[in-house]
Amino acid sequence: MEDATARQLESCRICASRDLALVLDLGSTPLANAFVAPERAAEPELRFPLEVLQCGRCRLVQLSVVVRPDVLFRTYLYSSSASAPMVEHFDRLAAELAQRFALPGACVVEVGSNDGVLLARLAARGVRAVGVEPAANLAAIANARGLETWNEFFSADSARRVLAAKGPAAVVVANNVLAHIDDLGAMLRALDVLLARDGVFAAEVPYLGDLLEHVEYDTIYHEHLSYFALAPLRTLLASGGLEVFDVERLPVHGGSVRVFAGRAGRHAGTERLARALEGESAAGLTDRGRFVDFATRVQASREALRRLLSELRGAGRRLAGYGATAKSTTLLSFCGIGAETLAFIADTTPLKQGLLTPGTHIPILPDDALLAERPDYTLLLAWNYADAIMRGHASYLAAGGRFVHPMPLARIL
Ligand code: TMP
Ligand code: ZN
């Protein structure tokens, strides 16, 4: 395994402790966004163990395997604009940032700006928004829309060049980025270069509390190196001279937190931050015992889904999936569900349509395939958008189609 594409984690990426305990093993899976072109279906695919460790010192939950970032992120098929709820989510974030921290004319830098979905909303509010995005295909889409995007990994070096061109950033945004970064120390040094003296770092991460509570084991895949509770996140940012001063709970991606941090002593901590930290510690969120319970619930979730799908197949029902999500790669692989069970997966992302799912090689069709093919049951692989998807597919439902929600225990909606 110790080859050019991946390395084994030897010590905690926040505190360097070597006390890392295995808390969950999801087997070996392909890379979550490595969708396969049909003409390459016979070629071997990369697979790596999907093992979750917890640091005994700072309690950070992290994967045992670190896949090289250029393998994962140089071309990237996940585009935020393909999911209407995310577009609305980023519209609200742009409004909040513009109102609280970034007056018209201020410079906001977004790390991992994807196809520019947030940049566009910030620009519409008169903010000078600049993206730094490692995926060449996504940076090109954003630039073609007139949204300035530097096609780079965020580093002290790129931060220095952005600083020279744009001046200090009033806000640096990083949404669903921190969990992807192996060398978090380098990320913090880059932030230190770019952030204005009273600047704000605003970061969204999927929240460990939601992952455990709702048994969202499929959100575990190789791109997500770290699974954050607030306490380790605070420890991390403090190691880079940043103090968290506010936090919001968000419904996106199965439950996330957005933290706001600034240079030490520059912003007063909010009441809701104090409450969130107390709540987390009272709930024992990072206690190791929590994972024993979680692992049991993950197995139960797998069994329930396999049982339901096999009953439906046994009764001669036609099945498909909805949402060729990254997390579907974990779910399908861990549950042993493939093309024998799901005839296709419908997805709104043009970049994914016509490709095959990693490992399982289920064809990905456009969204309207659901109505055209009308499978009897459709497994919701993008369960985080269940409400929006049900609303958007009223005709499928009216024609007798049904959705199956896989989490935490499979059920027909
Ligand atoms: P995500 O859960 O990681 O955001 O991925 C969502 C995937 O589901 C993405 O490929 C887009 C797709 N999708 C649809 O196909 N239809 C929809 O209505 C929504 C919201 C997402
Ligand atoms: Zn640690």
Side-chain angles (χ1 to χ4, degrees):
M1 221 279 304
E2 207 63 20
D3 61 16
T5 45
R7 72 175 182 93
Q8 190 76 35
L9 191 77
E10 302 290 350
S11 59
C12 171
R13 75 167 46 79
I14 290 183
C15 77
S17 165
R18 297 176 75 89
D19 172 17
L20 298 172
L22 179 68
V23 292
L24 184 70
D25 185 351
L26 292 170
S28 153
T29 66
L31 297 177
N33 274 306
F35 297 96
V36 179
E39 64 274 16
R40 307 189 68 167
E43 296 175 20
E45 289 164 73
L46 292 173
R47 295 183 78 92
F48 297 97
L50 194 51
E51 296 164 333
V52 184
L53 313 176
Q54 188 181 30
C55 172
R57 192 196 284 165
C58 78
R59 302 286 171 167
L60 181 70
V61 175
Q62 48 206 309
L63 291 191
S64 69
V65 169
V66 180
V67 179
R68 237 175 47 204
D70 60 307
V71 173
L72 296 175
F73 303 121
R74 270 303 180 193
T75 54
Y76 200 53
L77 298 182
Y78 177 78
S79 108
S80 307
S81 295
S83 299
M86 292 311 291
V87 177
E88 290 164 29
H89 170 74
F90 288 126
D91 192 40
R92 285 191 293 272
L93 172 58
E96 178 175 357
L97 291 178
Q99 194 210 331
R100 285 182 74 179
F101 309 115
L103 302 173
C107 173
V108 174
V109 176
E110 186 184 14
V111 180
S113 49
N114 198 270
D115 57 10
V117 60
L118 177 66
L119 298 178
R121 266 95 202 144
L122 287 168
R125 290 185 156 78
V127 170
R128 284 189 296 130
V130 180
V132 180
E133 166 55 59
N137 62 317
L138 296 174
I141 292 172
N143 281 315
R145 294 169 64 201
L147 304 164
E148 182 175 347
T149 302
W150 297 35
N151 180 210
E152 324 216 8
F153 280 97
F154 187 59
S155 64
D157 175 56
S158 54
R160 257 179 238 115
R161 283 181 283 113
V162 174
L163 177 74
K166 305 286 166 187
V171 182
V172 176
V173 187
N175 293 327
N176 298 303
V177 164
L178 290 184
H180 293 204
I181 296 180
D182 184 24
D183 189 349
L184 289 167
M187 160 86 189
L188 291 168
R189 287 191 291 280
L191 268 177
D192 187 47
V193 167
L194 192 56
L195 205 59
R197 191 165 128 89
D198 286 318
V200 171
F201 177 54
E204 286 176 29
V205 291
Y207 187 48
L208 181 67
D210 292 294
L211 165 58
L212 297 185
E213 185 179 342
H214 308 297
V215 200
E216 298 165 350
Y217 70 85
D218 56 346
T219 64
I220 298 169
Y221 44 87
H222 296 101
E223 288 173 19
H224 291 167
L225 297 170
S226 306
Y227 301 82
F228 289 102
L230 288 175
L233 185 53
R234 258 196 350 154
T235 307
L236 166 72
L237 293 173
S239 75
L242 295 175
E243 217 165 58
V244 176
F245 64 87
D246 194 10
V247 65
E248 288 175 62
R249 290 287 292 269
L250 305 163
V252 294
H253 292 306
S256 298
V257 287
R258 177 186 295 149
V259 293
F260 296 96
R263 296 185 190 276
R266 308 300 302 175
H267 303 266
T270 62
E271 185 55 42
R272 64 179 170 178
L273 171 64
R275 275 200 308 274
L277 288 168
E278 276 162 30
E280 184 175 291
S281 128
L285 179 59
T286 58
D287 294 354
R288 191 149 294 165
R290 291 291 296 265
F291 284 92
V292 177
D293 172 54
F294 178 63
T296 309
R297 296 178 73 199
V298 168
Q299 285 303 330
S301 178
R302 176 181 187 272
E303 290 320 311
L305 180 59
R306 286 172 56 85
R307 199 176 322 115
L308 176 60
L309 296 185
S310 112
E311 281 167 14
L312 293 174
R313 277 180 75 200
R317 303 295 183 238
R318 289 174 309 120
L319 308 184
Y322 190 84
T325 50
K327 54 190 169 291
S328 74
T329 301
T330 296
L331 183 139
L332 297 173
S333 170
F334 178 65
C335 296
I337 299 166
E340 75 298 328
T341 303
L342 305 180
F344 65 90
I345 297 178
D347 193 288
T348 51
T349 316
L351 292 171
K352 294 180 184 175
Q353 294 160 4
L355 301 180
L356 306 170
T357 54
T360 43
H361 291 190
I362 302 169
I364 301 169
L365 301 182
D367 177 82
D368 56 14
L370 215 53
L371 203 53
E373 305 286 331
R374 211 172 60 69
D376 299 305
Y377 292 89
T378 300
L379 179 60
L380 263 182
L381 296 160
W383 47 259
N384 43 320
Y385 305 116
D387 294 343
I389 292 169
M390 301 272 286
R391 275 197 306 277
H393 294 83
S395 323
Y396 168 69
L397 291 166
R402 287 291 170 263
F403 285 105
V404 172
H405 195 305
M407 299 295 173
L409 291 176
R411 63 210 141 92
I412 296 168
L413 294 177

